[in-house]
Amino acid sequence: MTTSESVGDVTPQKAHFTDPLMLRSGDVLPAYELIYETYGALNAARDNAVLVCHALSGSHHVAGTYAGKPRSEGWWDNLIGPGKPLDTNKFFVIGVNNLGGCYGSSGPNAINPASGKPWGADFPFVTVDDWVTSQARLADLLGIERFALVLGGSLGGMQALHWTLAYPERVRNAAIIAAAAKLSAQNIAFNEVARQAILSDPDFHGGHYYEHGVVPVSGLRLARMVGHITYLSDDSMAEKFGRRLRHGEHKYHWDVEFEIESYLRHQGDKFAGFFDANAYLLATKALDYFDPAYGFDGNLKAALARARANFLIASFTTDWRFSPARSRELMYALQHNGLSVSYAELESVAGHDSFLLDDPQYHAVLRAWFDGIEVSA
């Protein structure tokens, strides 16, 4: 029986890049920093490196804990560590905070060297393409020519897919979990509602709220509440909350009546307490823009012809934001190009958030596929 352990206390690292980064938008980032963490050890052959790409509100802190900080486990700590499905006894795992984020990589809350003030709304638009380009530069810095695996869930899965297209010779395997080749119109609509909640907050100040000493809490709170609804399933909300009343009876007021209302407000308040509104705007736009087939007249099969990796595509039955049908669309397009594709459609009541959970069936599928990746001793 395999014993699973935590990677223990970890320390973030920071890489500084002085070569300008040409962005998809046409803007140029003259210099930038990326914050990242690593787990496990890079072997002598340098063929056991794994890149974990994070989702919308994720970060570089993928596994382990921070010394002296209780409840500081990484967001995928249940998956990554010694003896866990992504075994750090075998793999050297890297987590990196995307450009435009708010956890230490260059983003809107960082100082703009040209003005000496936080970038705010002046930070340029960044896309999945730009994230992958910057991650490739980090890999160069770490001496990694080719990844054994690039993986991610949701927006992280889109990054993993783009890696296989932008750098096909640098990715041996890719795991794309609870993701899609592009957002549906409905998904873009949810993102726009969330953005408008932030943009219309009086404390937003055109994205320069740092200078006013305020945070657009109301807008960010509402944006998170809208987004969080889409991460859950109807079944999971019914199971956790149903129509249970907070006070056991109707009070006939505008304050919390139902437990689901209390839960959403709690999630919104918590998120608004640590995440940056400008970073949220940038990340949702990056989601909207992602579409590998955009330059191929909408032909996904043609767009994916560049890929050379082996793929694992995983979806969840109650994920209505990135439904199994979207994962199958991706699978068929990859198979059309003669690529090796494993597909798992997993039973879950948890909706889109299923990819973050410690589910035995889900983890068994990942473990079996990861175990099949060969690396040097």
mmCIF file with all atom_site columns, all heavy atoms in Angstrom, residues 9-26:
data_model
loop_
_atom_site.group_PDB
_atom_site.id
_atom_site.type_symbol
_atom_site.label_atom_id
_atom_site.label_alt_id
_atom_site.label_comp_id
_atom_site.label_asym_id
_atom_site.label_entity_id
_atom_site.label_seq_id
_atom_site.pdbx_PDB_ins_code
_atom_site.Cartn_x
_atom_site.Cartn_y
_atom_site.Cartn_z
_atom_site.occupancy
_atom_site.B_iso_or_equiv
_atom_site.pdbx_formal_charge
_atom_site.auth_seq_id
_atom_site.auth_comp_id
_atom_site.auth_asym_id
_atom_site.auth_atom_id
_atom_site.pdbx_PDB_model_num
ATOM 1   N N   . ASP A 1 9  ? 6.681  21.943 4.354   1.00 0.00 ? 9  ASP A N   1
ATOM 2   C CA  . ASP A 1 9  ? 6.775  23.397 4.207   1.00 0.00 ? 9  ASP A CA  1
ATOM 3   C C   . ASP A 1 9  ? 7.531  23.757 2.927   1.00 0.00 ? 9  ASP A C   1
ATOM 4   O O   . ASP A 1 9  ? 8.551  23.146 2.602   1.00 0.00 ? 9  ASP A O   1
ATOM 5   C CB  . ASP A 1 9  ? 7.500  24.011 5.406   1.00 0.00 ? 9  ASP A CB  1
ATOM 6   C CG  . ASP A 1 9  ? 6.670  23.947 6.678   1.00 0.00 ? 9  ASP A CG  1
ATOM 7   O OD1 . ASP A 1 9  ? 5.445  23.797 6.580   1.00 0.00 ? 9  ASP A OD1 1
ATOM 8   O OD2 . ASP A 1 9  ? 7.258  24.043 7.776   1.00 0.00 ? 9  ASP A OD2 1
ATOM 9   N N   . VAL A 1 10 ? 7.021  24.739 2.222   1.00 0.00 ? 10 VAL A N   1
ATOM 10  C CA  . VAL A 1 10 ? 7.621  25.163 0.952   1.00 0.00 ? 10 VAL A CA  1
ATOM 11  C C   . VAL A 1 10 ? 7.870  26.666 0.993   1.00 0.00 ? 10 VAL A C   1
ATOM 12  O O   . VAL A 1 10 ? 7.258  27.401 1.781   1.00 0.00 ? 10 VAL A O   1
ATOM 13  C CB  . VAL A 1 10 ? 6.717  24.805 -0.241  1.00 0.00 ? 10 VAL A CB  1
ATOM 14  C CG1 . VAL A 1 10 ? 6.567  23.297 -0.363  1.00 0.00 ? 10 VAL A CG1 1
ATOM 15  C CG2 . VAL A 1 10 ? 5.344  25.453 -0.113  1.00 0.00 ? 10 VAL A CG2 1
ATOM 16  N N   . THR A 1 11 ? 8.755  27.114 0.124   1.00 0.00 ? 11 THR A N   1
ATOM 17  C CA  . THR A 1 11 ? 9.105  28.540 0.047   1.00 0.00 ? 11 THR A CA  1
ATOM 18  C C   . THR A 1 11 ? 8.998  29.007 -1.406  1.00 0.00 ? 11 THR A C   1
ATOM 19  O O   . THR A 1 11 ? 9.625  28.409 -2.288  1.00 0.00 ? 11 THR A O   1
ATOM 20  C CB  . THR A 1 11 ? 10.544 28.785 0.542   1.00 0.00 ? 11 THR A CB  1
ATOM 21  O OG1 . THR A 1 11 ? 10.661 28.312 1.882   1.00 0.00 ? 11 THR A OG1 1
ATOM 22  C CG2 . THR A 1 11 ? 10.889 30.263 0.490   1.00 0.00 ? 11 THR A CG2 1
ATOM 23  N N   . PRO A 1 12 ? 8.213  30.028 -1.679  1.00 0.00 ? 12 PRO A N   1
ATOM 24  C CA  . PRO A 1 12 ? 8.130  30.556 -3.052  1.00 0.00 ? 12 PRO A CA  1
ATOM 25  C C   . PRO A 1 12 ? 9.470  31.107 -3.520  1.00 0.00 ? 12 PRO A C   1
ATOM 26  O O   . PRO A 1 12 ? 10.288 31.566 -2.717  1.00 0.00 ? 12 PRO A O   1
ATOM 27  C CB  . PRO A 1 12 ? 7.083  31.662 -2.947  1.00 0.00 ? 12 PRO A CB  1
ATOM 28  C CG  . PRO A 1 12 ? 6.344  31.401 -1.683  1.00 0.00 ? 12 PRO A CG  1
ATOM 29  C CD  . PRO A 1 12 ? 7.331  30.752 -0.757  1.00 0.00 ? 12 PRO A CD  1
ATOM 30  N N   . GLN A 1 13 ? 9.689  31.052 -4.818  1.00 0.00 ? 13 GLN A N   1
ATOM 31  C CA  . GLN A 1 13 ? 10.877 31.623 -5.439  1.00 0.00 ? 13 GLN A CA  1
ATOM 32  C C   . GLN A 1 13 ? 10.438 32.626 -6.496  1.00 0.00 ? 13 GLN A C   1
ATOM 33  O O   . GLN A 1 13 ? 9.318  32.558 -7.006  1.00 0.00 ? 13 GLN A O   1
ATOM 34  C CB  . GLN A 1 13 ? 11.719 30.521 -6.083  1.00 0.00 ? 13 GLN A CB  1
ATOM 35  C CG  . GLN A 1 13 ? 12.141 29.426 -5.103  1.00 0.00 ? 13 GLN A CG  1
ATOM 36  C CD  . GLN A 1 13 ? 12.820 28.269 -5.803  1.00 0.00 ? 13 GLN A CD  1
ATOM 37  O OE1 . GLN A 1 13 ? 13.890 28.430 -6.373  1.00 0.00 ? 13 GLN A OE1 1
ATOM 38  N NE2 . GLN A 1 13 ? 12.202 27.096 -5.782  1.00 0.00 ? 13 GLN A NE2 1
ATOM 39  N N   . LYS A 1 14 ? 11.321 33.554 -6.818  1.00 0.00 ? 14 LYS A N   1
ATOM 40  C CA  . LYS A 1 14 ? 10.962 34.586 -7.795  1.00 0.00 ? 14 LYS A CA  1
ATOM 41  C C   . LYS A 1 14 ? 12.029 34.667 -8.879  1.00 0.00 ? 14 LYS A C   1
ATOM 42  O O   . LYS A 1 14 ? 13.220 34.651 -8.603  1.00 0.00 ? 14 LYS A O   1
ATOM 43  C CB  . LYS A 1 14 ? 10.801 35.939 -7.107  1.00 0.00 ? 14 LYS A CB  1
ATOM 44  C CG  . LYS A 1 14 ? 10.312 37.064 -8.028  1.00 0.00 ? 14 LYS A CG  1
ATOM 45  C CD  . LYS A 1 14 ? 9.907  38.295 -7.236  1.00 0.00 ? 14 LYS A CD  1
ATOM 46  C CE  . LYS A 1 14 ? 8.572  38.103 -6.556  1.00 0.00 ? 14 LYS A CE  1
ATOM 47  N NZ  . LYS A 1 14 ? 8.042  39.364 -5.961  1.00 0.00 ? 14 LYS A NZ  1
ATOM 48  N N   . ALA A 1 15 ? 11.569 34.735 -10.129 1.00 0.00 ? 15 ALA A N   1
ATOM 49  C CA  . ALA A 1 15 ? 12.468 34.883 -11.275 1.00 0.00 ? 15 ALA A CA  1
ATOM 50  C C   . ALA A 1 15 ? 12.207 36.239 -11.928 1.00 0.00 ? 15 ALA A C   1
ATOM 51  O O   . ALA A 1 15 ? 11.049 36.624 -12.143 1.00 0.00 ? 15 ALA A O   1
ATOM 52  C CB  . ALA A 1 15 ? 12.233 33.759 -12.280 1.00 0.00 ? 15 ALA A CB  1
ATOM 53  N N   . HIS A 1 16 ? 13.275 36.955 -12.231 1.00 0.00 ? 16 HIS A N   1
ATOM 54  C CA  . HIS A 1 16 ? 13.171 38.274 -12.862 1.00 0.00 ? 16 HIS A CA  1
ATOM 55  C C   . HIS A 1 16 ? 13.648 38.167 -14.308 1.00 0.00 ? 16 HIS A C   1
ATOM 56  O O   . HIS A 1 16 ? 14.714 37.613 -14.586 1.00 0.00 ? 16 HIS A O   1
ATOM 57  C CB  . HIS A 1 16 ? 14.018 39.297 -12.110 1.00 0.00 ? 16 HIS A CB  1
ATOM 58  C CG  . HIS A 1 16 ? 13.882 40.684 -12.644 1.00 0.00 ? 16 HIS A CG  1
ATOM 59  N ND1 . HIS A 1 16 ? 12.756 41.456 -12.449 1.00 0.00 ? 16 HIS A ND1 1
ATOM 60  C CD2 . HIS A 1 16 ? 14.730 41.448 -13.382 1.00 0.00 ? 16 HIS A CD2 1
ATOM 61  C CE1 . HIS A 1 16 ? 12.918 42.630 -13.033 1.00 0.00 ? 16 HIS A CE1 1
ATOM 62  N NE2 . HIS A 1 16 ? 14.106 42.650 -13.606 1.00 0.00 ? 16 HIS A NE2 1
ATOM 63  N N   . PHE A 1 17 ? 12.848 38.707 -15.225 1.00 0.00 ? 17 PHE A N   1
ATOM 64  C CA  . PHE A 1 17 ? 13.158 38.659 -16.657 1.00 0.00 ? 17 PHE A CA  1
ATOM 65  C C   . PHE A 1 17 ? 13.290 40.078 -17.191 1.00 0.00 ? 17 PHE A C   1
ATOM 66  O O   . PHE A 1 17 ? 12.390 40.903 -17.021 1.00 0.00 ? 17 PHE A O   1
ATOM 67  C CB  . PHE A 1 17 ? 12.066 37.907 -17.417 1.00 0.00 ? 17 PHE A CB  1
ATOM 68  C CG  . PHE A 1 17 ? 11.889 36.476 -16.984 1.00 0.00 ? 17 PHE A CG  1
ATOM 69  C CD1 . PHE A 1 17 ? 11.063 36.162 -15.909 1.00 0.00 ? 17 PHE A CD1 1
ATOM 70  C CD2 . PHE A 1 17 ? 12.561 35.459 -17.630 1.00 0.00 ? 17 PHE A CD2 1
ATOM 71  C CE1 . PHE A 1 17 ? 10.909 34.846 -15.492 1.00 0.00 ? 17 PHE A CE1 1
ATOM 72  C CE2 . PHE A 1 17 ? 12.407 34.138 -17.219 1.00 0.00 ? 17 PHE A CE2 1
ATOM 73  C CZ  . PHE A 1 17 ? 11.584 33.829 -16.142 1.00 0.00 ? 17 PHE A CZ  1
ATOM 74  N N   . THR A 1 18 ? 14.404 40.339 -17.843 1.00 0.00 ? 18 THR A N   1
ATOM 75  C CA  . THR A 1 18 ? 14.656 41.682 -18.377 1.00 0.00 ? 18 THR A CA  1
ATOM 76  C C   . THR A 1 18 ? 14.431 41.762 -19.880 1.00 0.00 ? 18 THR A C   1
ATOM 77  O O   . THR A 1 18 ? 14.359 42.866 -20.427 1.00 0.00 ? 18 THR A O   1
ATOM 78  C CB  . THR A 1 18 ? 16.097 42.124 -18.062 1.00 0.00 ? 18 THR A CB  1
ATOM 79  O OG1 . THR A 1 18 ? 17.013 41.145 -18.567 1.00 0.00 ? 18 THR A OG1 1
ATOM 80  C CG2 . THR A 1 18 ? 16.290 42.267 -16.557 1.00 0.00 ? 18 THR A CG2 1
ATOM 81  N N   . ASP A 1 19 ? 14.337 40.618 -20.563 1.00 0.00 ? 19 ASP A N   1
ATOM 82  C CA  . ASP A 1 19 ? 14.039 40.652 -21.989 1.00 0.00 ? 19 ASP A CA  1
ATOM 83  C C   . ASP A 1 19 ? 12.574 41.030 -22.180 1.00 0.00 ? 19 ASP A C   1
ATOM 84  O O   . ASP A 1 19 ? 11.685 40.408 -21.577 1.00 0.00 ? 19 ASP A O   1
ATOM 85  C CB  . ASP A 1 19 ? 14.293 39.285 -22.625 1.00 0.00 ? 19 ASP A CB  1
ATOM 86  C CG  . ASP A 1 19 ? 15.774 38.960 -22.733 1.00 0.00 ? 19 ASP A CG  1
ATOM 87  O OD1 . ASP A 1 19 ? 16.580 39.902 -22.660 1.00 0.00 ? 19 ASP A OD1 1
ATOM 88  O OD2 . ASP A 1 19 ? 16.118 37.773 -22.867 1.00 0.00 ? 19 ASP A OD2 1
ATOM 89  N N   . PRO A 1 20 ? 12.271 42.008 -23.011 1.00 0.00 ? 20 PRO A N   1
ATOM 90  C CA  . PRO A 1 20 ? 10.880 42.421 -23.222 1.00 0.00 ? 20 PRO A CA  1
ATOM 91  C C   . PRO A 1 20 ? 10.018 41.254 -23.711 1.00 0.00 ? 20 PRO A C   1
ATOM 92  O O   . PRO A 1 20 ? 10.485 40.383 -24.458 1.00 0.00 ? 20 PRO A O   1
ATOM 93  C CB  . PRO A 1 20 ? 10.991 43.515 -24.291 1.00 0.00 ? 20 PRO A CB  1
ATOM 94  C CG  . PRO A 1 20 ? 12.389 44.025 -24.167 1.00 0.00 ? 20 PRO A CG  1
ATOM 95  C CD  . PRO A 1 20 ? 13.222 42.832 -23.790 1.00 0.00 ? 20 PRO A CD  1
ATOM 96  N N   . LEU A 1 21 ? 8.781  41.244 -23.294 1.00 0.00 ? 21 LEU A N   1
ATOM 97  C CA  . LEU A 1 21 ? 7.830  40.210 -23.698 1.00 0.00 ? 21 LEU A CA  1
ATOM 98  C C   . LEU A 1 21 ? 6.778  40.835 -24.602 1.00 0.00 ? 21 LEU A C   1
ATOM 99  O O   . LEU A 1 21 ? 5.985  41.663 -24.168 1.00 0.00 ? 21 LEU A O   1
ATOM 100 C CB  . LEU A 1 21 ? 7.172  39.579 -22.471 1.00 0.00 ? 21 LEU A CB  1
ATOM 101 C CG  . LEU A 1 21 ? 6.169  38.455 -22.734 1.00 0.00 ? 21 LEU A CG  1
ATOM 102 C CD1 . LEU A 1 21 ? 6.876  37.246 -23.343 1.00 0.00 ? 21 LEU A CD1 1
ATOM 103 C CD2 . LEU A 1 21 ? 5.456  38.049 -21.453 1.00 0.00 ? 21 LEU A CD2 1
ATOM 104 N N   . MET A 1 22 ? 6.789  40.444 -25.876 1.00 0.00 ? 22 MET A N   1
ATOM 105 C CA  . MET A 1 22 ? 5.781  40.915 -26.812 1.00 0.00 ? 22 MET A CA  1
ATOM 106 C C   . MET A 1 22 ? 4.488  40.156 -26.556 1.00 0.00 ? 22 MET A C   1
ATOM 107 O O   . MET A 1 22 ? 4.455  38.927 -26.629 1.00 0.00 ? 22 MET A O   1
ATOM 108 C CB  . MET A 1 22 ? 6.242  40.692 -28.258 1.00 0.00 ? 22 MET A CB  1
ATOM 109 C CG  . MET A 1 22 ? 5.205  41.046 -29.311 1.00 0.00 ? 22 MET A CG  1
ATOM 110 S SD  . MET A 1 22 ? 4.799  42.809 -29.379 1.00 0.00 ? 22 MET A SD  1
ATOM 111 C CE  . MET A 1 22 ? 6.286  43.461 -30.145 1.00 0.00 ? 22 MET A CE  1
ATOM 112 N N   . LEU A 1 23 ? 3.435  40.878 -26.256 1.00 0.00 ? 23 LEU A N   1
ATOM 113 C CA  . LEU A 1 23 ? 2.168  40.262 -25.909 1.00 0.00 ? 23 LEU A CA  1
ATOM 114 C C   . LEU A 1 23 ? 1.261  40.112 -27.125 1.00 0.00 ? 23 LEU A C   1
ATOM 115 O O   . LEU A 1 23 ? 1.426  40.801 -28.133 1.00 0.00 ? 23 LEU A O   1
ATOM 116 C CB  . LEU A 1 23 ? 1.464  41.101 -24.835 1.00 0.00 ? 23 LEU A CB  1
ATOM 117 C CG  . LEU A 1 23 ? 2.265  41.318 -23.543 1.00 0.00 ? 23 LEU A CG  1
ATOM 118 C CD1 . LEU A 1 23 ? 1.540  42.302 -22.630 1.00 0.00 ? 23 LEU A CD1 1
ATOM 119 C CD2 . LEU A 1 23 ? 2.506  40.001 -22.822 1.00 0.00 ? 23 LEU A CD2 1
ATOM 120 N N   . ARG A 1 24 ? 0.307  39.204 -27.019 1.00 0.00 ? 24 ARG A N   1
ATOM 121 C CA  . ARG A 1 24 ? -0.610 38.941 -28.123 1.00 0.00 ? 24 ARG A CA  1
ATOM 122 C C   . ARG A 1 24 ? -1.380 40.202 -28.523 1.00 0.00 ? 24 ARG A C   1
ATOM 123 O O   . ARG A 1 24 ? -1.739 40.394 -29.684 1.00 0.00 ? 24 ARG A O   1
ATOM 124 C CB  . ARG A 1 24 ? -1.581 37.833 -27.707 1.00 0.00 ? 24 ARG A CB  1
ATOM 125 C CG  . ARG A 1 24 ? -2.533 37.369 -28.804 1.00 0.00 ? 24 ARG A CG  1
ATOM 126 C CD  . ARG A 1 24 ? -1.799 36.679 -29.928 1.00 0.00 ? 24 ARG A CD  1
ATOM 127 N NE  . ARG A 1 24 ? -2.684 36.218 -30.966 1.00 0.00 ? 24 ARG A NE  1
ATOM 128 C CZ  . ARG A 1 24 ? -3.224 34.994 -31.002 1.00 0.00 ? 24 ARG A CZ  1
ATOM 129 N NH1 . ARG A 1 24 ? -2.956 34.123 -30.033 1.00 0.00 ? 24 ARG A NH1 1
ATOM 130 N NH2 . ARG A 1 24 ? -4.007 34.630 -31.987 1.00 0.00 ? 24 ARG A NH2 1
ATOM 131 N N   . SER A 1 25 ? -1.612 41.083 -27.561 1.00 0.00 ? 25 SER A N   1
ATOM 132 C CA  . SER A 1 25 ? -2.368 42.305 -27.827 1.00 0.00 ? 25 SER A CA  1
ATOM 133 C C   . SER A 1 25 ? -1.587 43.319 -28.655 1.00 0.00 ? 25 SER A C   1
ATOM 134 O O   . SER A 1 25 ? -2.154 44.281 -29.162 1.00 0.00 ? 25 SER A O   1
ATOM 135 C CB  . SER A 1 25 ? -2.763 42.960 -26.500 1.00 0.00 ? 25 SER A CB  1
ATOM 136 O OG  . SER A 1 25 ? -1.598 43.401 -25.810 1.00 0.00 ? 25 SER A OG  1
ATOM 137 N N   . GLY A 1 26 ? -0.265 43.106 -28.755 1.00 0.00 ? 26 GLY A N   1
ATOM 138 C CA  . GLY A 1 26 ? 0.598  44.060 -29.430 1.00 0.00 ? 26 GLY A CA  1
ATOM 139 C C   . GLY A 1 26 ? 1.375  44.919 -28.460 1.00 0.00 ? 26 GLY A C   1
ATOM 140 O O   . GLY A 1 26 ? 2.339  45.591 -28.847 1.00 0.00 ? 26 GLY A O   1
#
